[in-house]
Amino acid sequence: MKKIVIVGGVAGGMSAAARLRRLDEEAEIVVLERTGYVSFANCGLPYYLGREIPNFEDLVLQTPEALAARFRLDVRVAHEVRGVDPEKKTVTGMNLQTNEGFEFPYDHLILSVGAQPIKPPIPGLDSEGVFTLRNLEDTAAIDRWIEDKNPKTAAVVGGGYIGLEMAEQLHRRGMKVHLIDAAPQTLPPFDAEMAELVHKELEKNGVDLPLASPLDRIEPGGKGQVGAVKAGQAEVHADLVILGLGVRPDIALAKAAGVEVGNRGIRVDDHMRTNVPNIWAVGDAIEVVNPICGEQVVIALGGPANRQGRIVANNICGGEDRYNGTIGTAILRVFELQAGATGLKEAQLKEAGLKYEAIYLHPKDHAGYYPGATPIALKFLFEPESGKIYGAQAVGQAGVDKRIDVIATAIMAGMTASELADLELAYSPPFGSAKDPINLIGMMAENISAGLLKQIQWHEIPKLDGSSFLLDVRSAGEVKGGTIEGSVHIPLPELRDRLDEIPKDKTIVVFCQSGQRSYFASRVLTQRGYEVRNLSGAYLTYQSQPS
Ligand code: FAD
């Protein structure tokens, strides 16, 4: 009978425990969890605080009693593991309810200890009313503060996924929210011009957005409570502060056990084995390979933690299951918008010195003639020669998840960009188009790789000199709503008759509203011997760039 001890009873830990039982009815499986709950919905915590999830109990997916009854698991809450002896194969720790020590022997030990919220050493951080959000206890404490103190203003420091979700949810709870970030943009997995679309949505909903504002200090407001936040040039009043500055893998226990730690997280092989025999690790605490660039990365996401938990259980039970790496596929909702990303962003490709092409497009989430269609701003990154897909970002009101998930699947399957053109995707007018945005990306990539389409990017427009001729092929009505300074207007239907207005000795930079008409125009002109560049993403991408 195998004795398996799991430290950490949430995403990775409970997935491992449940799978272990399904594979081995005899094993003795002990789950040790420091907090008062196991198997809770971390990802749902912000939504409870904004009352989209109405009841606290809805966040608790399983109890120790239910897990004992269903899976015959020995689940101990309030059990903090403080030591591991790999020689004796035991874990030791403290029962936080009784203050009694405990020791459990193991044949296999799984560390799924998660990550710790980052707390910078700045004055005022320990004031009452300053919180991080990681577990149910944190959630209950924030909720109590809101109920008791009725805060009118809140500062969320850090514009990652959790920070943005909390900004929206505190707004729902009636607070004036300041979302502060040290960087000039929120949402680190997105490039700046894509994050800008989300910034506009936040501001539209009344969220104040002091960016490029590194946190200096938290000022007391009396009685030891928070009163204001000073961050760079910004000073905002705040009755409640949420720190969303990211997380660090929790490596203390692993280190003490002699487990190798890489740059930031626990090192594991593709079977989730650490360097210490019979100790395995999964989840936010570990480093994984990003298969796109081959580098060791730390990516804290629920999906990978759950899948790793299953893999480790398979391998403990004699399997040879491999983890293929993490590419950071993620999505969040910000008020009316969905923002999703997968793979590498352009800034990372630039930094790595990789050759890439960026495609922007603004297709509708479903057939334009069917009511309710809304645009998706899509950015797609690939290597033009090999067709290797690097990543994608999408922001829109609907259909973002489908497009990001398909591209994520294509990346992991090793598909090329132009192969996206041939994908057969579910379609009827309320759901998509006969040429889905994914197919369009593939077609554009194919055109670029074949030299049929030469692009120019929005950030290159201000650098254009007299050797270029900027051509706007939209309708007169669209031009009235704004255009790019210095452009000449010839609507697409008139183009063939007005070719004499277009100089042959200049590079023609052509744009329309979303990219389709300018592509048609670029084909007309290219076939007549002009040197043409199509503005990728067209006017919509150009005018949404950060100022
Ligand atoms: P956890 O689920 O954090 O579990 C680790 C557990 O180990 C903790 O409960 C901890 O108390 C316990 N522990 C640590 N040390 C010890 C010890 N010494 N002794 C005993 N117990 C110990 N991911 C997404 O993909 N999508 C989302 O929308 C999303 N939203 C999120 C929202 C919030 C507010 C948070 C906090 C996270 C969110 N995540 C999301 C991330 C996701 O929840 C994590 O990636 C995932 O839970 C990691 O699983 P894990 O098992 O590694 O760690």
Side-chain angles (χ1 to χ4, degrees):
M1 186 173 68
K2 281 194 216 73
K3 287 191 172 66
I4 301 159
V5 172
I6 300 172
V7 188
V10 194
M14 285 316 305
S15 293
R19 177 72 176 168
L20 280 164
R21 175 56 74 227
R22 286 195 288 274
L23 297 179
D24 186 342
E25 188 55 22
E26 299 304 317
E28 193 178 301
I29 304 168
V30 179
V31 180
L32 303 171
E33 166 56 48
R34 172 165 55 199
T35 69
Y37 302 88
V38 283
S39 199
F40 59 87
N42 334 41
C43 309
L45 306 180
Y47 300 96
Y48 167 70
L49 286 167
R51 290 295 187 269
E52 281 192 65
I53 295 175
N55 304 308
F56 189 78
E57 302 76 58
D58 296 337
L59 299 169
V60 185
L61 307 178
Q62 292 286 352
T63 61
E65 297 73 30
L67 289 162
R70 181 184 281 204
F71 297 114
R72 212 166 56 73
L73 300 175
D74 181 357
V75 176
R76 316 269 180 122
V77 293
H79 275 56
E80 183 172 65
V81 176
R82 295 185 175 171
V84 178
D85 187 335
E87 297 293 318
K88 272 171 61 189
K89 292 217 225 155
T90 56
V91 296
T92 51
M94 179 72 83
N95 179 331
L96 302 175
Q97 269 160 358
T98 62
N99 279 338
E100 283 169 307
F102 62 74
E103 181 175 278
F104 287 94
Y106 68 79
D107 297 314
H108 294 277
L109 173 64
I110 303 173
L111 300 177
S112 187
V113 291
Q116 293 280 353
I118 293 171
K119 292 185 187 174
I122 54 132
L125 205 71
D126 48 8
S127 312
E128 277 186 60
V130 180
F131 300 92
T132 54
L133 179 63
R134 186 76 202 163
N135 54 38
L136 284 176
E137 279 86 352
D138 297 338
T139 309
I142 295 169
D143 201 42
R144 250 192 328 271
W145 183 267
I146 297 173
E147 292 288 315
D148 293 351
K149 311 284 179 184
N150 192 19
K152 301 279 180 289
T153 55
V156 176
V157 186
Y161 289 112
I162 296 175
L164 260 69
E165 285 176 353
M166 279 308 297
E168 179 179 350
Q169 296 303 326
L170 295 178
H171 171 88
R172 279 178 67 93
R173 246 356 232 275
M175 282 165 246
K176 167 72 192 171
V177 179
H178 308 276
L179 176 59
I180 299 167
D181 204 301
Q185 70 165 88
T186 66
L187 286 177
F190 289 70
D191 286 308
E193 75 284 7
M194 299 301 286
E196 182 67 11
L197 304 171
V198 175
H199 296 167
K200 290 198 170 110
E201 181 73 5
L202 288 162
E203 283 167 346
K204 191 178 99 189
N205 284 282
V207 174
D208 174 40
L209 203 56
L211 298 175
S213 306
L215 180 61
D216 293 326
R217 61 179 185 274
I218 291 170
E219 306 268 4
K223 295 188 203 155
Q225 293 178 12
V226 58
V229 173
K230 174 88 184 58
Q233 297 301 308
E235 179 147 11
V236 300
H237 184 266
D239 305 319
L240 164 68
V241 175
I242 305 286
L243 297 177
L245 295 164
V247 293
R248 257 191 214 111
D250 195 341
I251 51 173
L253 192 61
K255 267 189 152 170
V259 167
E260 188 193 348
V261 170
N263 295 329
R264 287 194 288 153
I266 298 173
R267 268 277 153 90
V268 291
D269 66 11
D270 60 1
H271 282 57
M272 319 314 299
R273 275 185 295 240
T274 71
N275 62 315
V276 177
N278 301 92
I279 302 186
W280 311 71
V282 299
D284 288 0
I286 66 168
E287 279 184 10
V288 289
V289 173
N290 181 330
I292 302 173
C293 56
E295 279 171 22
Q296 292 281 336
V297 292
V298 167
I299 296 179
L301 286 172
N306 274 277
R307 286 182 286 115
Q308 291 157 7
R310 188 173 198 272
I311 288 172
V312 91
N314 290 347
N315 291 337
I316 286 174
C317 294
E320 288 292 335
D321 206 356
R322 286 169 200 279
Y323 185 65
N324 294 329
T326 306
I327 58 173
T329 308
I331 189 163
L332 87 159
R333 193 199 65 205
V334 184
F335 293 96
E336 299 294 312
L337 285 186
Q338 308 168 351
T342 185
L344 302 178
K345 63 176 181 174
E346 185 173 3
Q348 289 171 305
L349 298 174
K350 247 188 208 148
E351 203 182 302
L354 291 168
K355 193 162 179 245
Y356 66 90
E357 188 86 23
I359 295 177
Y360 294 89
L361 64 167
H362 300 270
K364 295 277 195 289
D365 70 297
H366 63 255
Y369 62 81
Y370 184 86
T374 52
I376 306 174
L378 262 166
K379 178 173 184 178
F380 179 79
L381 296 152
F382 74 112
E383 206 279 316
E385 264 100 63
S386 65
K388 175 176 172 159
I389 305 173
Y390 284 133
Q393 297 150 50
V395 180
Q397 288 178 37
V400 166
D401 52 347
K402 169 170 165 174
R403 277 62 193 213
I404 288 298
D405 280 345
V406 171
I407 294 171
T409 308
I411 292 175
M412 292 306 279
M415 287 175 64
T416 63
S418 50
E419 281 172 337
L420 297 176
D422 300 325
L423 283 184
E424 182 183 316
L425 300 169
Y427 157 63
S428 76
F431 297 102
S433 299
K435 278 186 200 137
D436 191 86
I438 294 290
N439 300 132
L440 294 179
I441 289 173
M443 291 169 198
M444 289 170 78
E446 201 172 73
N447 286 338
I448 289 167
S449 296
L452 287 176
L453 174 62
K454 289 184 184 163
Q455 299 197 108
I456 187 166
Q457 301 296 345
W458 58 271
H459 50 82
E460 297 174 279
I461 296 294
K463 297 175 211 150
L464 291 181
D465 57 21
S467 63
S468 300
F469 180 85
L470 199 49
L471 178 61
D472 183 347
V473 295
R474 295 175 301 162
S475 68
E478 287 170 309
V479 176
K480 259 193 206 141
T483 186
I484 303 176
E485 203 184 318
S487 61
V488 172
H489 177 224
I490 303 178
L492 177 64
E494 298 172 24
L495 185 64
R496 289 183 183 84
D497 299 329
R498 293 175 59 184
L499 289 172
D500 54 341
E501 295 173 43
I502 303 173
K504 275 256 162 159
D505 59 342
K506 294 191 177 190
T507 301
I508 314 303
V509 174
V510 60
F511 68 95
C512 62
Q513 190 73 3
S514 65
Q516 196 183 39
R517 282 168 292 171
S518 58
Y519 171 59
F520 297 155
S522 77
R523 291 306 303 149
V524 169
L525 295 172
T526 303
Q527 291 181 71
R528 283 168 170 79
Y530 288 91
E531 184 60 29
V532 186
R533 298 284 179 281
N534 190 37
L535 174 58
S536 186
Y539 188 65
L540 280 176
T541 296
Y542 175 81
Q543 53 100 52
S544 66
Q545 64 189 273
S547 47

